[in-house]
Amino acid sequence: MERNTTKVGVQTSDDQNKKETKKDNLEVQEASTMSDRSPPKKRQKTSVPESSTNTSISSVSDVQFQPKPPVATSVTDSSMMLVLSLSQEGKTSTLGTQTTSQLLAANQANEDQSALNRQSINMGGATVGGGSVVGVQGNVNITTIITPSNQTASQPTAPCSDNILEEAAEAIRQHQLEKLKHNEVIPGLTVGQSALPDVYQSLAESNIFNIKNPPKQEPFHPSTEGNEIRRFDASKQIDFHNLLTAMLGIGFMALIGPPGCGKTTLAKRLTLPKRAAHFLVIFLRFMDLGYETVLTPQQLLIDFPFKDLNQTTKDNAFQWMLKNQEKCAFVLDGYDQWSLSLSNINQADMSYEKPSPIQQLVANLCCKNLFSKSLITFTSRPHAILSIPMHLRPKVTVVVGDLPTDGMRVLFFAFAGDHADHLWTTWNSNAPQLIQLCHNPLLLQLVVYAGLSGNVDQLDTITNVFLQFLHELENSVYKKGLKFPELIEPLGGMAYDGMDRKTVVFTNENLKTTGLDDANVQDFVIKVASWTNLFDGDKATFYFIHQSLQEMFAAMYICMKMPDSEFNNVVHEVVYKSHWSMVRRFMCGLLLGGDPKQGKSEKLRTQLTEFMKHEMDQHQLIDLLSDLQECSDDEKNSLAKFLPVKFNFSLTPITSSTAHALGQILPKLNRPVERLDLHICNLNLESLEMICKGISKLKHKMKYLDLSFNEFGDDGVGIIRDCLNNVRKLRLEDCGISDDGKQILGGELQRLGLPLSTIVGLWDENGLFSCNSAAPKVGSAVL
């Protein structure tokens, strides 16, 4: 429902002014309590109204604005299962052009005046698995009444000393550390957070913006190229411990990666004193920035996130930030979960006092019109970053990759406790793909939990791992006593509606569409045995505790309960749109992972085969390989014949699970692979071995394999040697191979009766060792 804008003007009569203002405010607040959109009676595609503002300005003291309440869209994409709790108490917002300090000064001077002289800010709270998350939590209730024009606001206080400003900045720093100091593991595992080792995922620079060609109407500005912004060799790993310092001069960085890889956890770690000893790092979540009102930079970065601190401290801290921009960093977590977008936003001249729409503020942080000497960092799933306009894109993108094998193994044994040896041995023998998935922090916890609570022999795909977890609902204390199969249709339908609307926030109205209208939200917070809630929330709103669980429920509804006629219309979008990638993965497990099912299974299979005929970028190929891992062997054999004959993963770090999936699918191809491009993919020895084993089992010789600029050195020579007979041309430029390693490879070619020209990049045409050249710049051509 569209809301009407209520204008609040200044009257010549004080009594009339008070009366009309009170009436208008009540009308505004009453209108704001109504739902922004009524949930569909049937689960059909619906469009979310575009955000709009209606502002009428006649003077500094006469600004009318009626926003829609904030809409948080998605739970945080963390390596830990994060529990969210957002309130929906926001009613209205009417902001003028005065700064917060000016408004508060005016209020203090006239506190005995009418309600026209008062400002109140009321925000809902949020908790994240052990502590509140710093940031605007949920909807914001802002009622700012501007001082009438016949009254004079008091002047701002005199500038404070540097020591006072420093103390205020330190108060902000300490307040945030208190909020972010805990990251909880999944309850039900055998170890607490304090007992875990300090393990970091691999990080590598990405060239994601060169993967897809830019729109023709836009000039091409490669975001990760150019000597002026280069800080890392693209073929090297990035040291997280020095990331903040190294990137400060860059200005704008993105941390990207798949669900559960640990983007949020790493972003929070950037705020710790040992990482940011000389910085003030402000951590915000995009999901909390859904309000549609005008804000000043101080309100966005300080006033709202640190509402518990007094206004003087916040004013002084912001002044410190303005004077010490080179010591400030802003981390905005979960761009893919933002209800708004930067897609159609251009930077514009701004001042630090002028209120602006939230998208405009974020855009001006990106293009450095605000805090030009500071660092801004986004975290996101890859597909969302690609939608940012070129003039606003991050200068460097960093992929959050695998947990190192040694670190993953330590965590596995810590989580599994006394059962660790049994689980590790069983899965290494029967389902090695699950071990490879454990390089992802979230999946590691879920895999171990499923193994501790279910039949280990039946766990072979991530779909089955999630099913095992969800089947624990059979032991729930949900008072209505619904069994797991009975939950699929109501909860799955609600999850699907949320995915379709790109939100994870649900209300009682959404619940009514499920047929469970006799239960309120408190009754519906399901306890899962020794684990945690399936949902969290309050009487107004509730949420799946992780987006992956919503995606699993949506997949179950689509596969098991959605009418065939609707399924036929939905399946194409699920296959082709990146937003549905995890849902598609679960659907492959549900429909193509066991006994073939008629109807829906055939429709999904047909769409997948058509999709594989289209040209795919690196990330789409990786998603596809993950999908095939969920399918049965028969389905893999059937689908493999439609796979492309050119696999281009260049400039994209390859995870262990992707390497395993690639090694498994290559032997199933029934025609020659023309090209497998893996240059600058940060391959480690484990990943190299899995891929080369697959190549050695190919039915037809591969025409071209590029492993260049992956520094595995002589340790990789023995691995590569075993697949030489199945490759017509192999490029090994700058892989750290010594003269001894080159001798070994040359001897193997001689033994196989192959010419030295089979390998490119190790020796010249006369058979002499060539000097290793420097790694090519990202995006340069590989001959």
Side-chain angles (χ1 to χ4, degrees), residues 413-680:
F413 276 74
F415 288 141
D418 295 340
H419 300 275
D421 283 323
H422 173 63
L423 294 179
W424 186 267
T425 302
T426 301
W427 283 331
N428 266 302
S429 299
N430 302 334
Q433 63 272 19
L434 289 187
I435 296 296
Q436 300 308 323
L437 289 171
C438 289
H439 287 275
N440 178 295
L442 172 63
L443 298 184
L444 166 60
Q445 295 181 64
L446 284 174
V447 167
V448 171
Y449 180 82
L452 293 175
S453 60
N455 188 336
V456 179
D457 296 330
Q458 293 180 356
L459 296 174
D460 56 356
T461 66
I462 200 61
T463 303
N464 287 338
V465 167
F466 272 77
L467 286 173
Q468 177 59 45
F469 164 71
L470 292 177
H471 273 292
E472 288 296 299
L473 290 177
E474 297 285 4
N475 301 320
S476 75
V477 295
Y478 177 53
K479 74 175 189 179
K480 299 300 180 182
L482 290 178
K483 298 297 184 181
F484 177 71
E486 297 171 318
L487 292 172
I488 295 175
E489 182 165 10
L491 295 191
M494 186 176 66
Y496 167 74
D497 286 340
M499 290 296 301
D500 190 40
R501 293 184 289 119
K502 297 185 178 180
T503 183
V504 298
V505 179
F506 301 100
T507 68
N508 286 316
E509 291 300 315
N510 301 127
L511 191 64
K512 290 178 181 179
T513 67
T514 70
L516 295 172
D517 54 317
D518 60 329
N520 61 43
V521 173
Q522 288 182 328
D523 293 333
F524 213 69
V525 175
I526 300 173
K527 299 284 186 180
V528 185
S530 62
W531 214 76
T532 186
N533 300 343
L534 178 62
F535 296 105
D536 209 318
D538 54 31
K539 293 182 179 181
T541 57
F542 56 101
Y543 322 85
F544 286 90
I545 56 176
H546 195 276
Q547 186 174 346
S548 296
L549 291 172
Q550 178 181 342
E551 289 164 327
M552 181 63 183
F553 264 106
M556 289 190 295
Y557 171 75
I558 294 171
C559 295
M560 301 177 185
K561 300 296 181 179
M562 179 178 280
D564 287 348
S565 58
E566 187 177 358
F567 179 91
N568 295 340
N569 294 326
V570 167
V571 65
H572 181 273
E573 180 175 350
V574 171
V575 169
Y576 281 81
K577 297 295 181 63
S578 296
H579 169 65
W580 294 93
S581 60
M582 280 299 294
V583 174
R584 184 182 73 183
R585 185 175 181 182
F586 290 133
M587 287 175 60
C588 286
L590 294 169
L591 293 178
L592 306 177
D595 295 333
K597 302 173 181 63
Q598 299 299 320
K600 290 182 177 179
S601 295
E602 184 58 37
K603 286 286 185 182
L604 177 59
R605 188 183 301 111
T606 299
Q607 288 294 328
L608 284 174
T609 56
E610 290 299 316
F611 178 66
M612 286 189 282
K613 296 176 183 178
H614 290 76
E615 184 177 353
M616 289 178 278
D617 64 36
Q618 286 89 324
H619 292 279
Q620 290 174 319
L621 274 173
I622 290 172
D623 286 341
L624 180 61
L625 290 174
S626 298
D627 295 341
L628 295 179
Q629 284 292 89
E630 301 300 301
C631 300
S632 67
D633 286 339
D634 288 342
E635 290 289 353
K636 289 177 186 175
N637 292 330
S638 175
L639 292 170
K641 60 186 177 182
F642 298 101
L643 283 167
V645 294
K646 295 180 180 180
F647 294 86
N648 178 20
F649 298 101
S650 63
L651 311 173
T652 306
I654 297 296
T655 65
S656 293
S657 60
T658 298
H660 181 272
L662 180 59
Q664 291 291 305
I665 203 66
L666 286 174
K668 299 180 182 297
L669 301 177
N670 61 357
R671 63 196 189 283
V673 174
E674 294 184 8
R675 186 183 186 96
L676 174 55
D677 194 337
L678 292 163
H679 88 277
I680 315 184

Side-chain angles (χ1 to χ4, degrees), residues 156-396:
T157 58
C160 297
S161 68
D162 288 345
N163 287 340
I164 292 177
L165 299 183
E166 177 67 39
E167 290 174 359
E170 183 61 26
I172 294 289
R173 183 184 291 110
Q174 294 302 320
H175 187 77
Q176 179 164 255
L177 288 175
E178 184 66 24
K179 296 290 187 181
L180 299 181
K181 67 180 181 180
H182 295 297
N183 285 312
E184 288 207 0
V185 300
I186 294 178
L189 298 177
T190 61
V191 65
Q193 180 71 30
S194 60
L196 293 177
D198 198 19
V199 177
Y200 290 88
Q201 300 91 316
S202 64
L203 298 175
E205 193 172 337
S206 168
N207 197 36
I208 186 172
F209 292 123
N210 282 350
I211 289 175
K212 288 187 174 180
N213 293 326
K216 292 183 179 180
Q217 67 270 23
E218 294 191 36
F220 183 41
H221 300 295
S223 64
T224 56
E225 293 186 339
N227 293 331
E228 70 281 5
I229 62 171
R230 298 295 299 170
R231 293 295 185 276
F232 303 105
D233 184 336
S235 65
K236 307 290 185 182
Q237 295 292 309
I238 297 172
D239 181 13
F240 176 78
H241 302 278
N242 300 319
L243 183 62
L244 197 61
T245 302
M247 285 293 183
L248 185 62
I250 299 285
F252 186 11
M253 169 185 70
L255 287 173
I256 64 172
C261 70
K263 300 181 294 292
T264 296
T265 299
L266 288 177
K268 289 180 181 178
R269 286 181 172 184
L270 288 174
T271 68
L272 299 179
K274 59 183 178 181
R275 306 283 170 260
H278 306 292
F279 296 92
L280 175 61
V281 182
I282 304 298
F283 180 91
L284 303 173
R285 299 187 304 176
F286 270 110
M287 65 171 295
D288 297 326
L289 308 182
Y291 39 84
E292 298 170 3
T293 185
V294 291
L295 306 173
T296 64
Q298 178 174 333
Q299 289 173 320
L300 171 68
L301 300 172
I302 295 293
D303 289 0
F304 287 1
F306 302 98
K307 61 185 180 65
D308 295 335
L309 297 179
N310 66 71
Q311 191 61 44
T312 299
T313 298
K314 291 184 284 190
D315 290 344
N316 289 341
F318 192 73
Q319 290 303 313
W320 182 91
M321 291 164 57
L322 292 176
K323 295 179 67 174
N324 298 273
Q325 295 189 24
E326 70 282 357
K327 298 180 181 179
C328 296
F330 308 107
V331 178
L332 277 68
D333 182 47
Y335 179 71
D336 56 297
Q337 301 166 344
W338 198 18
S339 60
L340 305 176
S341 173
L342 296 177
S343 296
N344 299 312
I345 303 297
N346 292 312
Q347 71 267 34
D349 292 336
M350 291 190 65
S351 70
Y352 288 96
E353 293 79 24
K354 179 183 177 182
S356 300
I358 182 66
Q359 303 103 307
Q360 197 70 58
L361 283 177
V362 174
N364 278 273
L365 285 171
C366 294
C367 67
K368 314 309 292 180
N369 283 346
L370 295 173
F371 289 95
S372 60
K373 298 179 181 179
S374 302
L375 172 66
I376 182 171
T377 298
F378 282 11
T379 73
S380 179
R381 294 186 185 183
H383 71 271
I385 287 291
L386 291 170
S387 68
I388 297 178
M390 291 185 179
H391 61 281
L392 297 179
R393 286 176 173 175
K395 296 296 185 286
V396 169

